[in-house]
Amino acid sequence: MKIHSIILRMLTMRMKSPFTTSFGTEWNKQFILVEARDEDGRSGWGEAVAMAEPLYNEETVDTVWILLKKHLLPLLWQRELNHPREVAGWFTPIRRNYMAKAAVEGAIWDLFAKEQGIPLYRALGGNKNAIDVGISIGIQKNQEELLAVIEKYCNEGYKRIKIKIMPGWDTEIIAAVRCRFPDILLMADANSAYTLEDINRLAALDRYQLMMLEQPLAHDDMIDHAQLQQQLRTPVCLDESIHSVEDARKAIELGSCRIINIKVGRVGGLTEACRIHDFCRSHNVPVWCGGMLESGIGRAHNIAITTLPGFTLPGDTAASSRYWEQDLILPEVTVEQGRVQVPEEPGIGYEPCRERIDYHTLYSETFRNGE
Ligand SMILES: O=C(O)CCC(=O)C1=CC=C[C@@H](O)[C@@H]1C(=O)O
Ligand SMILES: [Mg+2]
């Protein structure tokens, strides 16, 4: 593989509706797209999932831009690239900055699959031509609004409902959801809103048959999660705590969780995501693919990784129309009866729409080998 140039684009797109979690609200989403071009004019695409504010993790659109421009892209020009799985190793001297690494590594994986003439999901070792998907619902104004939104998405066939919880918006709201929807697959994501002092409050949620309780405690913790999991029947799922296959190994050995939410951006890219998947599968730990409110570019990568066999639980890869008036890809991602058909076209399998990308681009910069 020979990469001729990399184009970074800073975009802003307004979501259809604000998305609120325990740490903030996303509405005008700012994000970075990475386009990797080869000598034959093919383009591979990746998306950085870092947000404008360092609230989910320490990265932002600004840190990603600087890390790519000054530290990561220069590492690409120094050697011959035989396979995209080599990129993660080249980036290891650079600490953390996983979302920056994932964005460019994803673009290179897409370019590689296009050069091979195969869908990205096959290049990753996936074996499904359709995936089950759920939907993540942000914190709503009130209980009735949440119940109405859940009703809407159940009617659209989503296989699993994920709601956000935090102190003051938890037991009562889950009880109301369970009362109205006794049989749906239901989970709750706390985004680290609790501490071990809340252990009794969280243990009381066992009565509501949640599929899992996602990231109840601190974003960088595994010890307290292990203590909590011992008191809970409900499986703990880790999201923010897991950045690598080593983190996954430690969490499983400590008993910190029974399920892992794999987000390609959070773990530094598709290669590490595959490693985590393989390790979890060998230890009978189910995984699913989380979302970061991506455009269709990042959404396409999430669909591809979800085709691996260990992704046995519905993820957060909802339809484009759930987030955007107009997505950046053609066709858009659609969900029929809670399933997404996996495209068979080469690469990510969706065509980036340059007109729409240009319309939402605030600024861009091109980097060439040797310049
Ligand atoms: O629909 C999606 O893309 C998932 C949205 C979602 O649940 C999240 C997005 C970004 C950060 C978090 O708030 C949260 C999560 O933790 O999974
Ligand atoms: Mg989460």
Side-chain angles (χ1 to χ4, degrees):
M1 275 185 82
K2 191 116 178 74
I3 297 167
H4 171 267
S5 55
I6 298 260
I7 299 102
L8 300 186
R9 293 181 178 86
M10 182 71 78
L11 287 83
T12 180
M13 276 170 78
R14 188 173 178 81
M15 295 176 66
K16 274 183 165 174
S17 57
F19 187 88
T20 300
T21 66
S22 60
F23 59 71
T25 296
E26 193 75 11
W27 200 348
N28 282 315
K29 193 154 192 308
Q30 198 176 345
F31 58 100
I32 292 170
L33 291 184
V34 178
E35 179 185 2
R37 284 188 181 160
D38 68 10
E39 310 272 330
D40 301 323
R42 291 186 197 87
S43 287
W45 292 84
E47 178 172 344
V49 297
M51 300 179 168
E53 303 297 326
L55 300 175
Y56 171 78
N57 73 347
E58 72 281 4
E59 294 186 80
T60 68
V61 289
D62 298 316
T63 66
V64 166
W65 192 281
I66 290 170
L67 262 290
L68 286 168
K69 176 172 182 172
K70 293 189 67 177
H71 303 284
L72 295 171
L73 298 189
L75 293 174
L76 294 179
W77 312 132
Q78 293 168 8
R79 41 175 83 84
E80 185 67 23
L81 178 62
N82 298 308
H83 194 282
R85 73 166 68 90
E86 298 166 5
V87 174
W90 295 354
F91 287 169
T92 42
I94 308 295
R95 286 287 174 90
R96 297 185 66 86
N97 290 284
Y98 300 107
M99 294 175 173
K101 294 173 178 176
V104 63
E105 190 236 33
I108 292 171
W109 265 104
D110 180 24
L111 182 59
F112 170 79
K114 283 167 179 166
E115 289 185 351
Q116 300 296 311
I118 59 174
L120 175 59
Y121 87 91
R122 286 193 196 285
L124 295 170
N127 66 354
K128 304 171 195 159
N129 54 24
I131 60 168
D132 285 346
V133 292
I135 193 156
S136 175
I137 300 167
I139 291 174
Q140 302 297 305
K141 286 197 197 75
N142 55 52
Q143 183 173 297
E144 273 320 300
E145 201 166 283
L146 175 64
L147 295 173
V149 170
I150 293 174
E151 178 95 36
K152 169 179 183 294
Y153 289 130
C154 287
N155 293 339
E156 290 180 16
Y158 282 97
K159 300 280 188 186
R160 176 269 282 143
I161 296 293
K162 166 167 142 179
I163 62 174
K164 296 293 178 176
I165 60 170
M166 56 193 243
W169 178 273
D170 51 22
T171 312
E172 187 183 337
I173 206 72
I174 291 173
V177 172
R178 257 302 170 233
C179 176
R180 176 79 66 86
F181 306 99
D183 304 320
I184 62 169
L185 289 181
L186 179 65
M187 65 172 282
D189 185 356
N191 290 112
S192 304
Y194 299 91
T195 69
L196 275 182
E197 286 175 19
D198 301 305
I199 199 159
N200 295 330
R201 177 201 205 108
L202 294 171
L205 300 180
D206 276 345
R207 74 188 63 164
Y208 298 112
Q209 291 83 42
L210 295 174
M211 282 177 81
M212 66 190 92
L213 186 55
E214 186 179 349
Q215 200 70 38
L217 309 179
H219 66 92
D220 56 356
D221 168 79
M222 289 189 194
I223 302 294
D224 289 357
H225 278 103
Q227 191 176 334
L228 174 66
Q229 180 67 91
Q230 284 175 349
Q231 306 299 320
L232 250 58
R233 198 174 55 249
T234 306
V236 168
C237 169
L238 291 181
D239 171 354
E240 290 91 329
S241 295
I242 305 295
H243 298 95
S244 64
V245 67
E246 275 303 283
D247 283 350
R249 175 184 65 80
K250 291 167 190 168
I252 292 167
E253 283 178 13
L254 287 168
S256 310
C257 64
R258 295 186 194 141
I259 299 171
I260 287 180
N261 166 349
I262 294 179
K263 292 181 177 176
V264 175
R266 187 192 75 226
V267 301
L270 289 164
T271 303
E272 192 67 14
C274 290
R275 288 192 184 122
I276 295 169
H277 161 271
D278 296 348
F279 183 86
C280 288
R281 194 170 180 224
S282 67
H283 289 74
N284 300 313
V285 172
V287 299
W288 55 280
C289 183
M292 293 293 289
L293 311 171
E294 293 92 341
S295 81
I297 302 284
R299 202 155 298 281
H301 284 266
N302 292 346
I303 291 165
I305 195 76
T306 305
T307 66
L308 269 64
F311 284 81
T312 54
L313 300 173
D316 283 344
T317 312
S320 295
S321 61
R322 184 250 194 256
Y323 307 88
W324 316 111
E325 292 299 342
Q326 264 194 335
D327 204 343
L328 300 180
I329 54 169
L330 295 170
E332 297 199 349
V333 174
T334 55
V335 172
E336 307 295 332
Q337 280 82 45
R339 285 171 74 76
V340 173
Q341 295 302 316
V342 182
E344 287 292 339
E345 288 73 16
I348 58 173
Y350 298 88
E351 189 58 38
C353 177
R354 289 186 180 276
E355 184 188 342
R356 292 180 188 175
I357 290 170
D358 291 346
Y359 176 80
H360 290 287
T361 296
L362 296 172
Y363 53 87
S364 67
E365 197 167 349
T366 300
F367 302 88
R368 287 187 182 81
N369 197 337
E371 282 180 12

